[in-house]
Amino acid sequence: MVSLIFQAPWYHIILEVILLIWVIWLLRKKKKSESTKIVLTKDEEEEIIKAWKPQPLVEDDPSAEEPYYSSLWTTVEGRPGKYLQVEGVKYLNMATHNYLGFVDEESMIDEAESCIRKYGVGSCGPRGFYGTFDVHIKLEEAIAEFMNLEETALYSYGFATIASAIPSYAKNGDIVFADELVNFSIQKGLQASRSTIKYFKHNDCEDLERLLDEQLKQDLKNPKKAKTQKRFCVVEGIYAKTGAMCPLVGINQLCLKHKVRLFVDESISFGVLGDTGRGITEHLGVPVKDLDFISGTMEYAFASYGGFVVGSSYVVDHQRISGLGYCFSASLPPMLAGAGLHALNLIRENPSYITELQDNCRYLHKVLSKLNGFHLDGHELSPLKFISLIQSTGSRQIDHKILDSIILFVKDNYQIALTQPALLENEEYRLPPACIRLSVNRLLTKEEMESVAHALQSASLLFELYETES
Amino acid sequence: MDYNSGFCGSDCVINRNRTLVNGYCKSPKGQNGTSKASGVSNLQTGFNHHYDLTNGHSFGPNGRALGTRSPKNAIQKRLQKNGSKKKTSLTEVQHLVPVTYDSFYKDENGKPIPRKRKPKSSVNESFEQCSLLDALYTYLCYSFLVIVGYVNDLLRPRDSTEKFRSGYTTLYASFESFYTRHVYRRVRNLWNIPVASVPGEYITLVDRVTQDNGWTFEFTGKFNECINLGSYNYLGFAENSGACSQAAILACKQNGIATCVSRLELGTAAYHHELEQLVARFVGTEDAITCGMGFATNTLNIPSILCKGCLVISDEKNHASIILGLRLSGATIRVFKHNNMISLEKRLREGIINGQPRTHLPWKKVFIVCEGVYSMEGSIARLPEIIELKKKYGAYIYLDEAHSIGAIGENGRGAVDYFGLNPSDIDILMGTFTKSFGSAGGYIAGSYELIEMLRHRSHANYYGTAMASPIARQIIASMKIIMGEDGTDDGIKRVSRLKHNSRYFRQKLMQMGFIVYGNEDSPVVPVALYMPSKITYVISEMIKRGVATVGVGFPATPLVQGRARFCISASHTKEMLDKALGIMDEIGNHIWIKGSKLPLKSTEEIVYEVSDAEEDLANEVD
């Protein structure tokens, strides 16, 4: 070892010595810079701790900003089906998302009951740890088969579905293009993904194209980054906040052209659109294989609980290990999975349910579009109709109050239950105008829909929402 | 307040006020400095902290002194205590400091429920370190799997590639997919096993086989009936007959299955109010709010409570839902070592002294976020000390009782009840109904103002679909049973049976020499196995012999902390537990997993206690 040093050439030794000196210098320099850091004495620390006063847990009184919906309806009694009962009075239900009328379907209750008798109520575990029941697997297979796709991942709560699905693919550094009026669940998913989010104008393909072209220019500048960066586009089939239908054909073409992966949330449109209820892809004739996944909820048309993500095995299987709401949550109670499966079977066996619902959607759209004093939003096939004041007062709060008075008037005089959509106005990315949301039920008759329109018309007369000729 | 940590041995027998009895009353003050330093450096050393609730100061025993006390001796003492209560000597009684028997829980008429027993005053937990040899073997095992995986990839093109997506960026990171293909796939048959029955004390597993090494499965049409040590059915309310499921069926008929709408848009029904009031009374707070999914209770409510400019000191083993909720809230998150009070205090001090990053502005609020029972570690949060720290530094506590509500405490009311603390000292109490209540969903309980604020701002209240009526009715029915408001003592029996079952099972495993993690009273009993091959062997062998249990390995745990986890239920009988223990014993001898080096080698038979009656009497003498 020692002899080796002597054998080495002299310049080598000099270099080594210089290196050694440099290392020591570096180490000492680091120490020096550390010492410049302010070191507090114990007493000073205590002083700071004493001086710090936390804000109260609840800073302000939220009831001061009394929301617009709180006082209108108290608790709902009985079964919230086509009619719902509040304080002993029966109202025609135009508020809940019971599109196919499955809340009133007795066979759903029977199915749930038989599931409780077999499995009990809760699942008592996440999917990985004895929380996968045979009925979950049956439901997953049935949805995949129904959508003509390979695999389904079943979530235990509608909200958690796409909110967990997006961040399992989109990560920090990726880019997500999303419609500016996507629902809150998607917004939370985007936030959790920590990706760069680029919102395009509501249902505006040209705006999306503009964003994609901009991105293309950036990619040409930095092709290395572009190679590793994932791109996604998130849209809804029918928008929960506006009732508008997504121009999926155009968006799909843009996505294919720019190699952007496309996620479609069909919370509203699943079981509603298309000849057999397969959703927007069936309605617009978009091949399902062009999309990366379709997500949906069973809490609306299916009148059960939970959500699902359906797509190719390559895509969906990944969620079983990385979807937070899938892995770390208790699985869907088997009785609710059983009810969901039964609802799916009902749709498959009775395609007429879908056409009946669509007829009702069209009819309600027709009667509502004739109203004076209101502006109607939403596609004619959408089960959600949004009516807002034709002339806004300019203040959202006052608009809400006027709409509330209309709801109250319709409630008292026509026994119709309406609601404004509950939105966290400070947290939403974009807000639709203040509006009343009407949802269509397959079981509604034409007369009932006419009576709703009539009630709203007389309300608008009463509140002088438009200028009459006299 | 002083902290005493160190290797105290893992005394499996509950030693309520034993330290006082044995005469190590007060810790010498000079020790504090040294014990603090050792506590920081030891991440998962066993803690043994003895705490008195009335005086607000603690009695820290000398860790070494406790360690030397032989467990055998402790068991003998315990047996003596049970056998002849009158032996409690006068001197012991004199040493005892009066302990509050206050109960913070009220019955239907608003009268306080008398507390029968002294609240828990010490935390007895153990986390035995992985030995060097075991760690080495484990690393070897994983690296072997990885090497085989790479060779596999080289020799054979990938088995799963994406269709219709040529030219796109790969959807997920290559290591993630590599790990799934080569490591997870090999053990996949032991997870996600389909169940075809109620997840009660027995569980029926659907038999399946794989012809292609875990890529796909086929059902054989056969079923395996196993003792269920895998489900979180702590109080045994996963039942398909009886009062709870009857209530759920009735609710289906009356209120339908679904509400189809969120709480604020005509989704609120009478049973929601009933449930919320009951929960508030159960956990001893002013008010409560419920949510349709346990996971979402955390992720959708935390962002309304916390905001940017808040500091969160979060336990490193906190559940994914809490972490996600905190991330969504925009608050600054700092992590403290699992259940380590010294680390927590250090983080609190650092945080308050330095203020917000860059600007050094003072924090708006500081939160301590922890869980009651940690589902993977089997440990119980050191709440008395956390409350002490909270008061000292002006922080707020967010306690997730997902696994502790119903499962621990004299009245089955969670970690707060376990330590006999005042629920109002915990600012935000969160819990789920999935586990002990055999249902679904979660709650947040706290002061009127807090809950009122959440009703106005919670994401779940605005966008989450309201809880289904059968789900709510199951919770109401089971909670009333636990509270004894069904007119029987079934609930309290379940609570005490769970306690005895958990202790019996844990003590037996420790006696056999297994490395058991966690608190003596926790119904979650993790057994360290370390190597992925051993985990798979134990789980598959247990299932083969009729015991269903759960194995957890990397990435759910650190690489060298792979484990099997048993979840004890009140519905297990001694025979079932004995059968599982017998099998575990055989397997343990076969593959050498009884590696515990703790000084606990008692040959005496561990007694399966039948009721709490004897203990009550013993306490009355105290």
Side-chain angles (χ1 to χ4, degrees):
Chain A
M1 186 70 196
V2 179
S3 61
L4 272 174
I5 296 174
F6 292 111
Q7 280 170 15
W10 60 272
Y11 57 86
H12 194 101
I13 291 172
I14 290 173
L15 271 175
E16 296 256 323
V17 168
I18 291 170
L19 195 78
L20 203 74
I21 292 166
W22 188 53
V23 165
I24 292 167
W25 181 73
L26 270 181
L27 283 173
R28 290 199 62 179
K29 194 189 164 198
K30 211 179 169 190
K31 264 185 193 165
K32 240 186 183 174
S33 66
E34 264 176 17
S35 65
T36 52
K37 221 172 109 184
I38 308 159
V39 179
L40 297 169
T41 63
K42 215 80 202 153
D43 292 339
E44 284 169 332
E45 284 185 356
E46 291 298 331
E47 211 174 315
I48 296 174
I49 291 168
K50 249 188 195 165
W52 182 71
K53 286 277 167 291
Q55 289 183 4
L57 183 61
V58 181
E59 289 156 52
D60 46 349
D61 183 14
S63 54
E65 50 179 278
E66 194 57 41
Y68 39 92
Y69 34 71
S70 62
S71 51
L72 285 185
W73 300 97
T74 52
T75 51
V76 176
E77 296 145 18
R79 203 182 287 185
K82 181 181 169 187
Y83 300 98
L84 53 75
Q85 195 175 314
V86 178
E87 286 167 351
V89 185
K90 204 164 119 185
Y91 297 93
L92 181 68
N93 181 2
M94 298 296 287
T96 67
H97 301 271
N98 175 24
Y99 312 136
L100 290 168
F102 285 168
V103 172
D104 299 287
E105 182 72 42
E106 280 308 318
S107 62
M108 291 276 288
I109 311 290
D110 296 340
E111 183 62 31
E113 188 184 331
S114 71
C115 279
I116 294 178
R117 289 194 195 284
K118 187 176 178 195
Y119 304 102
V121 176
S123 62
C124 286
R127 286 294 295 267
F129 304 155
Y130 305 104
T132 302
F133 285 76
D134 46 3
V135 37
H136 290 136
I137 293 178
K138 274 183 208 155
L139 178 56
E140 285 182 344
E141 282 172 358
I143 293 173
E145 196 196 317
F146 182 65
M147 291 305 292
N148 201 14
L149 281 162
E150 289 170 3
E151 197 159 335
T152 314
L154 196 64
Y155 281 79
S156 55
Y157 203 46
F159 190 97
T161 309
I162 192 148
S164 292
I166 291 174
S168 63
Y169 306 110
K171 305 279 177 199
N172 201 350
D174 297 336
I175 298 177
V176 187
F177 301 94
D179 191 289
E180 60 180 6
L181 275 161
V182 288
N183 63 37
F184 198 70
S185 173
I186 297 177
Q187 291 173 45
K188 286 290 127 183
L190 295 175
Q191 194 192 338
S193 74
R194 294 191 277 189
S195 310
T196 312
I197 303 152
K198 297 193 171 174
Y199 286 107
F200 57 92
K201 281 182 194 151
H202 185 43
N203 268 351
D204 191 341
C205 283
E206 281 166 22
D207 199 43
L208 175 63
E209 193 167 13
R210 180 185 61 80
L211 286 176
L212 287 169
D213 286 341
E214 264 176 32
Q215 189 57 43
L216 197 67
K217 275 179 209 159
Q218 279 187 18
D219 287 352
L220 290 174
K221 273 186 212 159
N222 194 350
K224 226 178 189 179
K225 193 179 173 191
K227 236 179 188 178
T228 53
Q229 205 171 33
K230 286 172 270 177
R231 287 95 206 278
F232 304 94
C233 178
V234 187
V235 291
E236 280 182 82
I238 286 178
Y239 285 86
K241 283 198 286 191
T242 62
M245 193 189 286
C246 168
L248 195 62
V249 181
I251 286 178
N252 184 36
Q253 276 169 357
L254 280 175
C255 286
L256 286 176
K257 185 180 153 199
H258 290 265
K259 298 211 187 296
V260 173
R261 293 173 185 273
L262 182 56
F263 299 159
V264 181
D265 184 18
E266 295 222 56
S267 293
I268 310 290
S269 51
F270 190 75
V272 172
L273 288 181
D275 293 338
T276 52
R278 286 175 170 82
I280 188 150
T281 46
E282 186 186 25
H283 179 70
L284 295 176
V286 176
V288 279
K289 292 198 165 60
D290 284 356
L291 315 179
D292 278 83
F293 72 66
I294 294 169
S295 73
T297 173
M298 297 193 294
E299 286 160 16
Y300 295 165
F302 277 31
S304 179
Y305 279 81
F308 58 84
V309 173
V310 57
S312 67
S313 288
Y314 179 83
V315 176
V316 173
D317 203 36
H318 181 63
Q319 280 181 47
R320 296 192 198 273
I321 348 173
S322 60
L324 288 180
Y326 181 92
C327 297
F328 295 103
S329 159
S331 61
L332 184 66
M335 58 156 292
L336 296 173
L341 181 60
H342 185 71
L344 185 66
N345 288 336
L346 281 176
I347 295 176
R348 284 205 283 201
E349 285 157 19
N350 308 289
S352 64
Y353 284 2
I354 310 292
T355 44
E356 282 167 37
L357 171 64
Q358 288 173 356
D359 288 345
N360 276 359
C361 290
R362 279 200 197 92
Y363 193 76
L364 188 68
H365 193 87
K366 198 175 119 195
V367 291
L368 290 180
S369 59
K370 286 177 191 158
L371 288 180
N372 289 318
F374 290 111
H375 176 75
L376 174 66
D377 262 325
H379 190 267
E380 63 164 358
L381 277 178
S382 159
L384 294 179
K385 313 286 178 196
F386 294 84
I387 53 169
S388 49
L389 301 175
I390 204 151
Q391 277 181 320
S392 167
T393 55
S395 151
R396 240 192 126 79
Q397 287 302 321
I398 299 173
D399 283 0
H400 281 314
K401 290 231 165 81
I402 295 173
L403 291 172
D404 249 1
S405 327
I406 294 170
I407 292 172
L408 203 63
F409 170 79
V410 173
K411 172 193 174 190
D412 289 342
N413 296 298
Y414 296 88
Q415 279 76 48
I416 295 167
L418 297 174
T419 182
Q420 295 189 50
L423 301 172
L424 280 165
E425 306 200 339
N426 299 328
E427 310 238 353
E428 290 273 0
Y429 177 72
R430 278 270 185 288
L431 279 172
C435 55
I436 294 175
R437 186 187 70 204
L438 295 101
S439 40
V440 182
N441 186 328
R442 173 180 69 89
L443 303 171
L444 289 174
T445 62
K446 283 190 174 173
E447 292 72 40
E448 281 163 337
M449 287 186 275
E450 277 159 16
S451 78
V452 173
H454 176 68
L456 286 166
Q457 189 61 73
S458 32
S460 81
L461 263 173
L462 185 77
F463 290 94
E464 294 172 350
L465 296 182
Y466 62 100
E467 288 174 20
T468 45
E469 281 164 28
S470 61
Chain B
M1 169 163 193
D2 50 20
Y3 300 101
N4 289 273
S5 62
F7 288 95
C8 306
S10 163
D11 187 0
C12 69
V13 178
I14 166 171
N15 50 3
R16 184 176 297 141
N17 290 58
R18 181 65 48 78
T19 46
L20 307 171
V21 174
N22 286 358
Y24 328 105
C25 266
K26 280 164 199 161
S27 90
K29 278 190 180 163
Q31 268 191 350
N32 291 352
T34 50
S35 60
K36 237 176 213 177
S38 71
V40 177
S41 60
N42 288 322
L43 170 57
Q44 273 164 348
T45 52
F47 280 86
N48 200 326
H49 187 93
H50 292 260
Y51 198 91
D52 178 68
L53 299 157
T54 42
N55 295 2
H57 63 266
S58 58
F59 292 85
N62 181 333
R64 301 224 179 267
L66 262 178
T68 53
R69 184 163 43 82
S70 85
K72 190 178 169 184
N73 199 8
I75 292 169
Q76 276 176 346
K77 282 198 172 170
R78 173 53 173 277
L79 290 171
Q80 273 173 10
K81 198 171 182 181
N82 284 335
S84 52
K85 294 129 238 160
K86 278 165 194 164
K87 276 194 177 171
T88 325
S89 69
L90 257 173
T91 46
E92 284 177 12
V93 178
Q94 281 166 357
H95 274 286
L96 286 168
V97 180
V99 178
T100 37
Y101 277 66
D102 285 351
S103 176
F104 302 98
Y105 303 108
K106 287 173 180 147
D107 67 2
E108 284 161 284
N109 310 319
K111 280 186 192 156
I113 304 166
R115 215 191 152 89
K116 284 181 201 142
R117 256 163 281 138
K118 259 182 225 154
K120 187 78 183 156
S121 57
S122 68
V123 176
N124 201 341
E125 271 172 29
S126 75
F127 283 99
E128 211 177 327
Q129 293 265 358
C130 179
S131 73
L132 194 67
L133 199 66
D134 278 328
L136 208 71
Y137 280 143
T138 311
Y139 279 115
L140 206 71
C141 207
Y142 276 106
S143 35
F144 187 71
L145 278 170
V146 170
I147 290 165
V148 169
Y150 276 118
V151 173
N152 243 333
D153 267 359
L154 265 176
L155 296 179
R156 187 176 51 180
R158 286 189 179 186
D159 291 281
S160 61
T161 40
E162 205 177 3
K163 295 163 211 157
F164 317 109
R165 283 289 182 261
S166 61
Y168 284 64
T169 319
T170 339
L171 191 55
Y172 30 88
S174 59
F175 181 73
E176 254 175 284
S177 103
F178 177 85
Y179 194 83
T180 318
R181 270 178 294 135
H182 295 296
V183 183
Y184 175 65
R185 174 184 49 85
R186 290 176 195 279
V187 296
R188 214 171 136 184
N189 56 327
L190 301 174
W191 280 268
N192 303 305
I193 303 173
V195 175
S197 72
V198 61
E201 63 270 36
Y202 284 102
I203 195 165
T204 308
L205 304 180
V206 183
D207 195 39
R208 53 180 189 174
V209 286
T210 174
Q211 307 290 355
D212 48 5
N213 297 316
W215 289 107
T216 55
F217 291 100
E218 285 162 28
F219 296 117
T220 58
K222 285 188 218 149
F223 296 95
N224 293 333
E225 204 188 31
C226 296
I227 296 171
N228 185 3
L229 287 166
S231 295
Y232 305 130
N233 175 28
Y234 297 129
L235 289 179
F237 281 113
E239 294 165 325
N240 53 9
S241 59
C244 300
S245 56
Q246 279 309 318
I249 289 172
L250 195 68
C252 285
K253 287 177 179 161
Q254 279 176 353
N255 300 90
I257 305 164
T259 53
C260 293
V261 83
S262 78
R263 284 290 296 277
L264 288 178
E265 304 162 335
L266 270 154
T268 305
Y271 52 84
H272 292 123
H273 288 307
E274 192 184 336
L275 176 63
E276 285 171 357
Q277 277 154 21
L278 190 70
V279 169
R281 202 150 53 77
F282 185 69
V283 299
T285 55
E286 291 173 351
D287 206 352
I289 186 169
T290 55
C291 169
M293 181 198 193
F295 185 92
T297 314
N298 272 331
T299 51
L300 301 185
N301 285 301
I302 291 179
S304 321
I305 301 169
L306 300 173
C307 57
K308 220 169 168 248
C310 290
L311 173 67
V312 180
I313 319 277
S314 163
D315 192 291
E316 63 177 349
K317 301 285 183 191
N318 272 345
H319 191 252
S321 60
I322 300 179
I323 297 163
L324 180 61
L326 293 176
R327 232 167 63 189
L328 290 176
S329 73
T332 308
I333 307 162
R334 306 261 161 84
V335 176
F336 71 94
K337 286 172 187 168
H338 176 56
N339 233 351
N340 186 328
M341 293 304 113
I342 294 149
S343 170
L344 171 61
E345 185 167 20
K346 205 173 146 212
R347 291 272 171 278
L348 275 170
R349 284 186 77 92
E350 273 173 10
I352 295 170
I353 290 166
N354 294 331
Q356 297 189 29
R358 300 185 67 86
T359 58
H360 296 288
L361 285 169
W363 298 102
K364 286 181 183 164
K365 295 170 235 179
V366 175
F367 286 84
I368 301 168
V369 181
C370 57
E371 291 185 38
V373 167
Y374 291 84
S375 65
M376 285 292 168
E377 316 301 312
S379 48
I380 298 177
R382 311 173 147 263
L383 274 185
E385 294 155 69
I386 293 173
I387 290 178
E388 191 94 357
L389 285 177
K390 160 214 150 113
K391 286 181 177 163
K392 189 171 168 192
Y393 292 100
Y396 299 105
I397 301 179
Y398 184 101
L399 178 66
D400 180 340
E401 296 227 63
H403 286 266
S404 56
I405 191 77
I408 55 172
E410 183 201 337
N411 307 300
R413 299 183 193 201
V416 182
D417 183 26
Y418 177 75
F419 291 107
L421 301 168
N422 188 345
S424 61
D425 278 341
I426 312 283
D427 303 278
I428 306 137
L429 275 162
M430 178 269 168
T432 66
F433 304 123
T434 326
K435 284 98 189 180
S436 300
F437 304 99
S439 189
Y443 67 84
I444 289 202
S447 63
Y448 283 125
E449 297 87 55
L450 175 79
I451 303 302
E452 194 56 25
M453 186 272 285
L454 284 176
R455 283 190 213 285
H456 287 261
R457 302 222 179 104
S458 157
H459 301 174
N461 226 25
Y462 276 74
Y463 301 99
T465 307
M467 189 185 274
S469 69
I471 301 292
R473 283 288 164 209
Q474 159 89 16
I475 305 163
I476 293 171
S478 55
M479 200 175 275
K480 281 194 169 163
I481 291 175
I482 303 171
M483 295 165 94
E485 287 177 13
D486 61 331
T488 67
D489 58 351
D490 180 31
I492 211 71
K493 269 187 188 157
R494 283 177 195 248
V495 171
S496 79
R497 214 174 311 138
L498 172 63
K499 188 173 88 181
H500 295 313
N501 279 352
S502 322
R503 281 195 199 159
Y504 176 73
F505 196 78
R506 180 181 289 269
Q507 288 172 24
K508 274 274 195 184
L509 281 178
M510 287 180 126
Q511 199 181 41
M512 287 172 190
F514 288 102
I515 301 168
V516 184
Y517 287 162
N519 191 295
E520 57 179 1
D521 282 327
S522 145
V524 180
V525 186
V527 174
L529 305 175
Y530 306 125
M531 271 175 264
S533 48
K534 283 184 176 175
I535 301 172
T536 25
Y537 180 76
V538 169
I539 305 303
S540 61
E541 194 63 22
M542 293 285 272
I543 291 174
K544 215 183 276 168
R545 300 201 200 174
V547 179
T549 185
V550 169
V552 198
F554 183 78
T557 65
L559 208 58
V560 290
Q561 281 183 26
R563 62 194 72 171
R565 190 187 62 179
F566 302 96
C567 292
I568 308 300
S569 162
S571 55
H572 292 139
T573 59
K574 181 174 183 286
E575 287 68 41
M576 293 178 195
L577 296 180
D578 279 339
K579 188 187 169 192
L581 286 165
I583 297 168
M584 223 18 217
D585 195 28
E586 278 175 39
I587 295 174
N589 287 333
H590 188 202
I591 60 165
W592 299 352
I593 43 176
K594 296 176 166 183
S596 178
K597 293 195 177 62
L598 292 178
L600 188 100
K601 292 280 178 284
S602 164
T603 46
E604 297 205 15
E605 186 66 24
I606 285 154
V607 187
Y608 181 81
E609 288 166 274
V610 188
S611 80
D612 271 352
E614 287 162 78
E615 216 171 298
D616 287 344
L617 276 170
N619 278 297
E620 271 162 32
V621 176
D622 286 355

